[in-house]
Amino acid sequence: MTTSPLATPPVETPGHGLLSGKKVVVTAAAGTGIGFATARRALLEGGDVLVSDFHERRLGETVDKLAAEFPSQQVESVVCDVSSTEQVDALITGAAERLGRIDVLVNNAGLGGETPVVDMTDEQWDRVLDITLTSTFRATRAALRYFRSADHGGVLVNNASVLGWRAQHSQAHYAAAKAGVMALTRCSAIEAAEYGVRINAVAPSIARHAFLAKVTSEELLDRLAADEAYGRAAEVWEIAATIAMLASDYTTYLTGEVVSISSQRA
């Protein structure tokens, strides 16, 4: 098989001011994954950022790293366990206070794992659905309550997955949760329109990073990457750049949509 010219990841695209002056909140942003890349991209595009995560030490390290790279921009943080309605509500309230307002919320929190349905416990199912789907509902609800009373509109971008469409062995709980995120995106977007809020989602196929490697075998990641048309996984910045586009004023007529970030063959 001929190797695609796009098999080698491109150099990261520089910022173009897509989020200049915007106040952006990103959940589950500590570490090396899509959340961190999204927060960094928002700063690269000229925004100010508040990041949240349940892991206080890693969150602090994330803030320090972002602040060092973008010293002239505001970087804030709020520790938040997205399984708690109280903490999610406090996140939105705290973000609005610290940033002055919220323009963009990126719902990035999610939890996966590999367990066949026949071996899956209620607890495993409930945990993945709670962190991946219900947390997105909690944050969406809190954000819409904020925007309903604010004098400006806003944007929500949810992190779904191509598994919301595709079948994959041992991923029933995660796939069901991500399909739910897609449905939540479509339905909440209709309701949010009256508040001047757009809600869209991205559905990445595979983006390799350190956290994913902890919960997924290298063999599976290699096979999934090889199945992509480019023969490689996405770089996390490639996912983050699409999220930034959806959060920007370049997509003002787009709402209730799920954008697949994939070089999929099928």
Side-chain angles (χ1 to χ4, degrees):
M1 183 176 63
T2 303
T3 301
S4 168
L6 296 169
T8 300
V11 175
E12 183 176 10
T13 305
H16 289 81
L18 295 186
L19 300 175
S20 181
K22 301 289 188 182
K23 308 295 185 178
V24 182
V25 179
V26 185
T27 67
T32 60
I34 293 172
F36 174 81
T38 299
R40 182 179 177 276
R41 189 75 208 186
L43 290 161
L44 194 62
E45 296 292 352
D48 294 319
V49 168
L50 183 142
V51 290
S52 78
D53 205 285
F54 75 96
H55 197 294
E56 188 171 3
R57 177 184 59 79
R58 287 205 305 262
L59 185 61
E61 292 170 351
T62 295
V63 171
D64 291 344
K65 187 173 182 179
L66 292 173
E69 185 175 0
F70 301 94
S72 65
Q73 288 161 260
Q74 187 177 6
V75 181
E76 302 283 351
S77 68
V78 171
V79 176
C80 178
D81 178 353
V82 294
S83 68
S84 164
T85 293
E86 183 177 88
Q87 290 191 37
V88 171
D89 289 346
L91 166 64
I92 299 303
T93 301
E97 291 174 351
R98 295 190 188 194
L99 294 175
R101 69 176 190 276
I102 300 171
D103 296 305
V104 178
L105 169 65
V106 179
N107 282 316
N108 176 66
L111 180 67
E114 293 181 79
T115 308
V117 169
V118 70
D119 297 320
M120 192 177 297
T121 65
D122 285 2
E123 290 74 19
Q124 287 173 310
W125 174 270
D126 290 343
R127 177 69 171 162
V128 170
L129 267 289
D130 186 38
I131 297 299
T132 307
L133 173 58
T134 308
S135 76
T136 304
F137 156 71
R138 291 185 184 104
T140 298
R141 177 179 59 191
L144 289 183
R145 288 173 175 170
Y146 163 77
F147 285 120
R148 181 174 60 183
S149 61
D151 60 357
H152 60 86
V155 181
L156 275 66
V157 183
N158 298 326
N159 191 1
S161 167
V162 293
L163 289 190
W165 295 307
R166 296 182 189 175
Q168 188 168 305
H169 194 285
S170 300
Q171 295 284 318
H173 48 356
Y174 184 71
K178 290 300 190 181
V181 170
M182 293 178 177
L184 174 63
T185 297
R186 288 188 289 266
C187 293
S188 60
I190 298 299
E191 300 174 16
E194 65 181 279
Y195 310 135
V197 175
R198 296 184 291 109
I199 305 179
N200 292 294
V202 295
S205 53
I206 177 174
R208 295 184 87 149
H209 51 84
F211 179 76
L212 183 63
K214 291 180 180 179
V215 298
T216 311
S217 69
E218 286 294 318
E219 180 183 5
L220 176 59
L221 293 176
D222 288 342
R223 178 168 59 80
L224 293 174
D227 286 342
E228 293 291 314
Y230 299 162
R232 68 170 176 89
E235 297 292 300
V236 287
W237 74 260
E238 292 176 298
I239 309 301
T242 303
I243 292 172
M245 178 192 72
L246 290 174
S248 78
D249 292 340
Y250 279 86
T251 54
T252 52
Y253 198 69
L254 193 69
T255 197
E257 296 294 338
V258 180
V259 178
S260 175
I261 308 177
S262 174
S263 66
Q264 58 191 0
R265 297 181 186 279

